[in-house]
């Protein structure tokens, strides 16, 4: 019985750790439905490399490469922590890392985009080059 309890607790802790900081996640369809026209309190933050970003991006998005760790860290410190940031990357992995880092840095509203630009393009949503 003790072994079963230890296994269950270990599985729960592993699951919790792999979830990161449990910030909100939405799909690309949900992101596409959000009105961004004149609302500067909402920002799409693309955390891919500059080259990936140049190959196709969501119109109006901002680019900060999460792989440039020190630059990313200093750059997010300059952002308004009260805005809502919709964080996207190629597939959803780097954006999850970036979103967690932003939450740890004190950002109030950070949303990870599940599936990233791959899912955005697969859904035939507009891409700006």
């Amino acid at each position: 019985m003790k072994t079963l309890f230890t296994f269950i607790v270990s599985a729960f802790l592993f699951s919790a750790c792999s979830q990161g900081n449990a910030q909100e996640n939405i799909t690309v369809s949900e992101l596409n439905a959000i009105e961004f026209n004149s609302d500067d309190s909402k920002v799409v933050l693309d955390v891919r490399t500059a080259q990936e970003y140049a190959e196709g991006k969501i119109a109006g998005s901002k680019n900060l490469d999460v792989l440039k760790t020190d630059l990313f860290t200093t750059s997010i410190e300059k952002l308004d922590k009260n805005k809502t940031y919709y964080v996207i990357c190629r597939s959803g992995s780097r954006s999850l890392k970036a979103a967690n880092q932003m939450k740890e840095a004190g950002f109030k509203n950070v949303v990870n985009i599940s599936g990233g630009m791959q899912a955005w393009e697969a859904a035939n949503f507009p891409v700006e080059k």
Side-chain angles (χ1 to χ4, degrees):
M1 189 68 169
K2 184 178 178 183
T3 305
L4 178 61
F5 176 76
T6 303
F7 174 77
I8 292 171
V9 170
S10 297
F12 172 77
L13 291 174
F14 176 78
S15 174
C17 290
S18 67
Q19 295 283 327
N21 285 345
Q23 82 290 319
E24 185 179 355
N25 292 284
I26 64 170
T27 66
V28 293
S29 294
E30 291 169 311
L31 177 64
N32 189 54
I34 296 170
E35 291 287 330
F36 285 92
N37 295 342
S38 61
D39 189 353
D40 69 347
S41 69
K42 297 183 272 188
V43 178
V44 175
L45 184 63
D46 191 318
V47 296
R48 297 175 298 154
T49 66
Q51 181 178 346
E52 288 173 305
Y53 186 72
E55 291 170 0
K57 60 188 173 266
I58 296 173
S61 62
K62 307 295 180 206
N63 180 234
L64 285 177
D65 184 350
V66 72
L67 296 178
K68 293 184 177 178
T69 308
D70 292 337
L71 180 59
F72 183 78
T73 300
T74 57
S75 295
I76 64 171
E77 286 302 321
K78 298 173 186 170
L79 299 175
D80 183 345
K81 293 183 179 178
N82 294 310
K83 291 186 177 186
T84 300
Y85 293 91
Y86 297 90
V87 187
I88 194 165
C89 66
R90 184 179 59 84
S91 64
S93 179
R94 285 178 281 176
S95 59
L96 181 60
K97 174 185 173 185
N100 284 334
Q101 186 175 343
M102 291 174 76
K103 291 292 274 187
E104 289 171 8
F107 285 79
K108 308 279 187 246
N109 301 300
V110 182
V111 181
N112 180 56
I113 309 306
S114 301
M117 286 300 291
Q118 288 178 331
W120 182 268
E121 291 176 358
N124 292 315
F125 293 136
V127 175
E128 186 177 87
K129 298 212 178 201

